[in-house]
Amino acid sequence: MTETHIDAPPNTETEPRGDLCIRTLAMPADTNANGDIFGGWLLSQMDIGGGVFASKIAKSRTVTVAIEAMNFRKAVYVGDLVSVYANLVRVGRTSMTVHLEAWVVRRKELQSILVTDGNFTYVSIDDNGRPQPVKAFSSEVETGSR
């Protein structure tokens, strides 16, 4: 299987990298028993943003098949503005790996803070839910020109 690797620059943790995919406000209904934003809620926001990005790259429906290397760096609090950014890491024949970063801006602050990042793998699917070649790169991958 031929894959296309795209090198992403190392994260300096001072500013977001990649395409902004989603922005939302952390609300009280999204908290865990400690009153902090539930990690599962944040993970789902990242998956939504990554899915939007992956579908744009694949020019088709995509499904999440793996989540790896998740780093929960800092807590997210009620009232934080959460933004998810995406970078394309790898493109295979039917799949792609996307590095996602979740950044927050806390109330009364201007500086963005990296709170979570990880790699999500998505597969391009057809209308019947079967894997299909990633359209954006399929001719380049099949011919080996990329």
Side-chain angles (χ1 to χ4, degrees):
M1 177 163 94
T2 305
E3 294 181 351
T4 302
H5 289 275
I6 300 163
D7 293 327
N11 189 335
T12 61
E13 298 183 21
T14 58
E15 64 181 49
R17 301 182 289 150
D19 294 354
L20 176 64
C21 299
I22 190 171
R23 182 170 282 156
T24 189
L25 190 62
M27 300 296 284
D30 306 317
T31 59
N32 61 22
N34 297 319
D36 299 326
I37 296 302
F38 179 58
W41 176 85
L42 183 57
L43 189 69
S44 73
Q45 298 306 305
M46 293 175 74
D47 194 25
I48 291 168
V52 168
F53 180 82
S55 291
K56 189 168 96 174
I57 296 295
K59 297 180 177 41
S60 70
R61 292 174 52 200
T62 59
V63 293
T64 309
V65 296
I67 300 172
E68 58 186 299
M70 287 300 298
N71 300 302
F72 289 92
R73 299 169 183 269
K74 298 188 189 268
V76 177
Y77 304 113
V78 171
D80 285 354
L81 182 61
V82 178
S83 300
V84 176
Y85 294 84
N87 277 297
L88 186 61
V89 175
R90 181 196 63 80
V91 176
R93 192 177 78 75
T94 63
S95 68
M96 70 191 77
T97 300
V98 178
H99 183 76
L100 295 169
E101 298 178 355
W103 291 73
V104 300
V105 176
R106 304 210 194 273
R107 286 185 276 184
K108 301 181 182 179
E109 294 184 19
L110 299 174
Q111 183 69 31
S112 292
I113 301 165
L114 176 63
V115 292
T116 308
D117 66 305
N119 294 328
F120 288 58
T121 302
Y122 298 91
V123 169
S124 175
I125 59 171
D126 64 19
D127 290 337
N128 296 314
R130 290 187 298 257
Q132 67 178 3
V134 175
K135 293 175 185 170
F137 292 93
S138 60
S139 62
E140 295 169 357
V141 170
E142 289 167 7
T143 64
S145 64
R146 185 165 174 104

